Amino acid sequence: MGISQRFAYVLLLLSCWSAIEAEYVKYKDPKRPLNVRLDDLLSRMTLHEKLAQMAQIERKNATADVLEKYSIGSVLSEGGSTPAPQASAKAWVDMINEMQKAALSSRLGIPIIYGIDAVHGHNTVYNATIFPHNIGLGATRDPALVKKIGAATALEVRATGIPYTFAPCIAVCRDPRWGRCYESYSEDPTLVELMTEIIPGLQGDLPQNSLKGVPYVAGRTKVAACAKHYVGDGGTHLGINENNTITNFHGLLSVHMPPYYHAIIKGVSTVMVSYSSWNGKKMHANHYLLTDFLKNKLRFRFIISDYHGIDRITTPPGVNYTYSLQDAVLAGIDMIMIPYDDPQFFESFIELVDKKVIPISRIDDAVRRILRVKFSMGLFENPFGDYSLADEIGKQEHREIAREAVRKSLVLLKNGKTQGEPLLPLPKKAKKILVAGTHADNLGYQCGGWTIQWQGLSGNNLTKGTTLLEAVKQTVDPSIEVVYSENPDDNFLFSNEFSYAIVAVGEQPYAETMGDSRNLTIPEPGPSIINGVCSHVKCAVVLISGRPVVIEPYVEKMDALVAAWLPGTEGRGMTDVLFGDYGFMGKLPRTWFKSVDQLPMNVGDAHYDPLYPFGFGLTTEPVKANN
């Protein structure tokens, strides 16, 4: 080899080495320390790319062009937003992987974080396991069970390629007139604290050597969680959704804040801000509670807005978007659910930066917090959904956990009209059984709001599950005649000789403001069905509702009364207990009032005079041979 050839060879080696060096970037190297990766990535980002990380847009707006062009940081499914009706796990993963490919094709290749409201199982997805809503889980008093529910939910969420859920709701509901009360585990902050054990279920247990309070997600079968809605959302005046929580700082700290301490210690990845206000100050604009207290005092990292949350800083909402954006970002919100107005978001944000209203330091701080979670949960190394998890959706093992949760959540409020003559457990062998009521054969009513659609649905074709009627037929002796009549009249009741009746009535599905109620009455024909059936037949009433409702006028006519809350898809959990395979063990997570005139009324109040007190619940023993 001549001198010129050797020189050319050396040049070639140097150029190849330079190319390798040019391709190597610290932020893409998982062997580098987290802060090194963060510093490196932030140093490379333009203002627009930083602002894009602070944006979360709706799935329908997240086209490949938008994700690549704007380098959007996050995407969500709003309530009921799916790639197609009854979409399969594969369809979900296909959609999200295409979004990730677009995001990774942007200049810096920062993956998106996709979020969804998996609030009682993966409730937007067809065939997913639907667990009891939080109020029912509060009745179980079983944090270990709730942790198992979190783990099962995480697997089903990951099966659709989604790494982030807007759950759990750790509100302390102080007034059942609030339309979100079923999303709260209890009126008692201590019980809500216990139920934060769902967080290590969703995210995985913190490693033994981990610092407390550091966001953590243990791999590809776990999801980032979100504690919501910070803070005081369950204490609004008159229970009106998004209203004003009127209490002093001590009241806020002693009632509404304690669950957040536990959520943060357990490494929850994000906290979502409440629409509500505290003493007239909107939480989305509350610098003291978001930055001074949550971030600086509690050392929490990543705060996300609620859906259109910043718009609602003003009245009417959205009347001054630029002002709202300024207030929210300066208050301490890091990621903003836009969810559709990305051009306005960027235009207003750049204007605020140009005018030096929002300093670059606040933007860098927000982006660093967001990227920290993305790095911590392994999104840079594993951005794509895993098709091999498809069978996790609605699998039998998860349904058995849900069934266990149902039977442990049932609260027995009355058992027998006469002392020593209980009706429950019911015999599996009887001449003829009547099953009646609006909620006896309606899976949508059984699941409640936040199921497939935001407001929930009526009927049995929304997803897969077992209604109470089906569960009764599967539980009793095959020779028994089970007669179903939703609203039987007197002639029907007189002309049949029923051994006993199971009557299921309650609330129709709702979510958020649509569920606010001033009177908390059971909708007709529920009361008429109770009065009619229980006047002629021994009756066990199963009340399916998201909260305590007015029942005092009807209790005397019932032989037994069971609060079943919103049990979800596994109706066999109800019959497991009704027929004595398992005993009743649930305890009221909420005070059951006599009259709405007493509200708000919570355990410990001076005027406490309930129909059934907090913690009440009759028990029964399992029947080994139920004939």
Side-chain angles (χ1 to χ4, degrees), residues 581-614:
D581 292 325
Y582 295 83
F584 280 92
M585 58 188 301
K587 303 296 180 184
L588 283 181
R590 296 207 50 77
T591 297
W592 207 295
F593 58 88
K594 295 176 181 176
S595 162
V596 290
D597 297 336
Q598 297 174 295
L599 300 177
M601 178 178 63
N602 296 282
V603 63
D605 288 349
H607 64 289
Y608 199 67
D609 181 28
L611 181 62
Y612 300 109
F614 173 85

Side-chain angles (χ1 to χ4, degrees), residues 161-192:
I162 297 173
Y164 178 29
T165 175
F166 307 125
C169 177
I170 54 174
V172 181
C173 175
R174 304 292 284 178
D175 192 326
R177 291 174 292 185
W178 185 39
R180 302 193 81 147
C181 204
Y182 64 76
E183 297 184 56
S184 167
Y185 294 106
S186 178
E187 71 189 41
D188 177 24
T190 303
L191 181 50
V192 180

Side-chain angles (χ1 to χ4, degrees), residues 58-73:
E58 212 287 320
R59 177 195 65 81
K60 294 188 281 289
N61 200 31
T63 63
D65 181 61
V66 167
L67 292 171
E68 184 175 351
K69 179 180 177 182
Y70 290 102
S71 302
I72 294 293

Side-chain angles (χ1 to χ4, degrees), residues 437-448:
T438 49
H439 290 56
D441 191 32
N442 193 313
L443 192 63
Y445 285 4
Q446 200 169 288
C447 292

Side-chain angles (χ1 to χ4, degrees), residues 470-501:
E470 292 167 337
V472 170
K473 290 178 177 178
Q474 293 169 20
T475 302
V476 299
D477 189 280
S479 64
I480 302 306
E481 184 180 359
V482 177
V483 178
Y484 171 64
S485 175
E486 181 176 317
N487 189 1
D489 60 26
D490 288 346
N491 289 333
F492 177 84
L493 293 166
F494 275 125
S495 60
N496 284 275
E497 292 185 9
F498 294 110
S499 301
Y500 56 82

Side-chain angles (χ1 to χ4, degrees), residues 169-175 178 180 184 186 189 192 227-260 271-284 286 289-290 293-294:
C169 177
I170 54 174
V172 181
C173 175
R174 304 292 284 178
D175 192 326
W178 185 39
R180 302 193 81 147
S184 167
S186 178
V192 180
K228 65 184 188 183
H229 309 82
Y230 184 85
V231 60
D233 53 336
T236 55
H237 183 57
L238 302 178
I240 298 170
N241 192 42
E242 304 181 25
N243 200 16
N244 188 26
T245 298
I246 305 167
T247 184
N248 58 24
F249 192 49
H250 173 73
L252 197 71
L253 290 183
S254 61
V255 174
H256 299 286
M257 197 71 77
Y260 287 94
V271 164
M272 185 184 293
V273 185
S274 175
Y275 288 126
S276 59
S277 304
W278 176 48
N279 295 334
K281 178 74 172 177
K282 288 278 189 179
M283 281 304 310
H284 274 75
N286 195 315
L289 286 175
L290 298 183
F293 193 83
L294 182 57

